[in-house]
Amino acid sequence: MSIHSRSYILNTTPARQAHVRVIPNGNVMVHIADEESPHLAEFDEVTFQRKGKITQLLAEHIEPGKHDNWALPLNHGDANELATLIDQAQEEFEILMRDLS
């Protein structure tokens, strides 16, 4: 199992860069340039919504005392790549859990 890291240019004005880490334990961590704190969400808290020329990665992360809603406007190719990375990480984690049982 390995952490996959990618950098994407967000479809914002001005364009900003997001560094995304897909962690096989079931988390996505996003650090957006010029923002202090990274965003975190579990795989099941993330959805992709296609809107015209972009695909929004939408996340709603809830933990005790903290509720974090966030969205990343990605181009379709980047969103597809990220969705594939998440799917692969989920599969790797499921295989590991089966092997451990």
Side-chain angles (χ1 to χ4, degrees):
M1 284 188 359
S2 60
I3 296 173
H4 298 283
S5 297
R6 297 289 188 277
S7 291
Y8 299 113
I9 301 298
L10 301 178
N11 193 348
T12 57
T13 305
R16 294 172 31 185
Q17 189 169 33
H19 302 284
V20 180
R21 295 178 66 187
V22 177
I23 307 164
N25 70 354
N27 290 300
V28 176
M29 182 180 292
V30 177
H31 185 269
I32 299 173
D34 301 326
E35 289 187 9
E36 287 184 29
S37 302
H39 299 288
L40 179 70
E42 295 178 13
F43 292 160
D44 62 352
E45 298 172 327
V46 171
T47 59
F48 291 88
Q49 186 177 59
R50 196 173 179 115
K51 290 183 173 183
K53 295 182 179 183
I54 64 167
T55 299
Q56 289 268 11
L57 177 139
L58 304 170
E60 181 178 18
H61 182 63
I62 301 170
E63 59 184 69
K66 186 177 179 187
H67 189 141
D68 188 18
N69 288 330
W70 48 275
L72 295 181
L74 300 166
N75 73 48
H76 299 310
D78 291 345
N80 289 337
E81 177 187 44
L82 185 52
T84 299
L85 291 174
I86 290 171
D87 289 342
Q88 289 172 346
Q90 284 178 311
E91 188 174 317
E92 287 178 22
F93 188 72
E94 289 171 7
I95 289 168
L96 177 64
M97 291 294 105
R98 276 196 308 266
D99 289 349
L100 292 175
S101 60

